[in-house]
Amino acid sequence: MTVTITAFESSPDRGRGLARDMPVRWALEEVGQPYDVRLLSFAGMKAPAHLARHPFGQIPTYEEGDLVLFESGAIVLHIAERHAGLLPVDADARARAIAWIFAALGSVEPPIVDRTIAVLMEGDRPWSEARLPLVEDRIRGVLDRLSGRLGHADWLDGAFSAGDLLMVSVLRRLGSSGLLDDYPNLAAYVARGEARPAFKRAFAAQLAVFTASQQSAPNI
Ligand code: GTB
């Protein structure tokens, strides 16, 4: 059955693969599921046709026959549950991999998103200069723990899983912040994820949307 996802027609990151269609593309590539992409403008995301798919008028969404899903984590989990390769077969290991999905999106990502908002949208506020170090301290607190847990392992819990896919996706959002520089094992972990052939195919596919654009990306 054909899978259709939605993605930005024009993303602020100009193809650096930071928007949330990227983990969905990556998961589909990991399991070898072909997919179509419906590109949406910001107006298109808020049009009734898309609001019927996504209650908040955002990307990504996922359509597979009569099934329509939103939320990148739910979509990646769905893909991982329907196809082999992204979740362990052993029930306990599978539960732990799912816990890492929630950890990536619920524990690690929030302060990282806060930082993006602080830099991109609140930089001109009088309190911004005082707030940014506080947000970055919260990020370091989470990275300290995550780095300690990963140690010298390649992946968070045995074989590469959907939990790693989402954790690497979240850490990539630190981009040029320099915050990963103090955590060589996490930087190497991200590089390992980015070196996977499925990641490269997904990255190339989203980049192709933006190659015609000459605009430069913001420093986030
Ligand atoms: N919790 C939802 C999920 O995980 O699917 C959040 C979805 C979401 O934030 N979607 C964003 C969106 O549609 C795009 S990904 N925004 C438009 C709107 O709300 O009107 C967030 C994103 C956007 C841009 C960058 N970037 O340029 O670096 C990174 C991440």
Side-chain angles (χ1 to χ4, degrees):
M1 193 171 293
T2 309
V3 165
T4 302
I5 68 166
T6 51
F8 279 142
E9 178 184 88
S10 172
S11 172
D13 79 348
R14 299 279 137 202
R16 282 192 292 163
L18 300 177
R20 294 170 201 249
D21 57 299
M22 180 62 200
V24 173
R25 290 174 185 269
W26 185 6
L28 289 165
E29 291 288 353
E30 288 283 351
V31 302
Q33 167 72 54
Y35 61 97
D36 292 335
V37 183
R38 184 182 307 115
L39 297 175
L40 291 172
S41 64
F42 278 85
M45 278 186 273
K46 307 302 177 204
H50 189 64
L51 283 169
R53 291 179 209 112
H54 195 305
F56 309 117
Q58 296 184 311
I59 60 101
T61 55
Y62 175 99
E63 292 154 68
E64 181 188 357
D66 290 338
L67 175 65
V68 182
L69 286 176
F70 63 100
E71 286 295 331
S72 56
I75 297 169
V76 169
L77 179 56
H78 169 77
I79 294 165
E81 284 184 324
R82 293 298 191 282
H83 303 268
L86 282 174
L87 284 176
V89 174
D90 173 76
D92 286 357
R94 197 176 181 93
R96 289 195 303 273
I98 292 171
W100 280 115
I101 292 178
F102 281 85
L105 299 177
S107 297
V108 178
E109 184 171 64
I112 293 176
V113 171
D114 268 1
R115 184 186 176 279
T116 306
I117 292 169
V119 171
L120 284 187
M121 291 151 87
E122 299 171 349
D124 57 349
R125 303 295 172 93
W127 36 262
S128 172
E129 205 177 330
R131 181 165 182 264
L132 189 58
L134 302 179
V135 173
E136 294 194 337
D137 278 351
R138 287 213 307 279
I139 296 174
R140 283 192 197 90
V142 174
L143 296 183
D144 283 347
R145 301 287 179 188
L146 185 65
S147 171
R149 173 55 84 101
L150 179 66
H152 298 295
D154 280 354
W155 308 114
L156 286 165
D157 193 315
F160 177 81
S161 77
D164 294 297
L165 187 152
L166 282 162
M167 191 65 80
V168 168
S169 300
V170 163
L171 294 177
R172 289 188 71 246
R173 290 187 68 166
L174 288 172
S176 53
S177 71
L179 282 162
L180 278 184
D181 293 353
D182 293 334
Y183 306 93
N185 67 335
L186 292 182
Y189 172 65
V190 171
R192 252 189 313 281
E194 291 176 336
R196 291 178 72 83
F199 177 94
K200 289 182 180 173
R201 288 194 295 274
F203 187 87
Q206 62 79 39
L207 180 62
V209 176
F210 303 101
T211 45
S213 168
Q214 298 303 310
Q215 291 179 42
S216 59
N219 188 22
I220 51 176

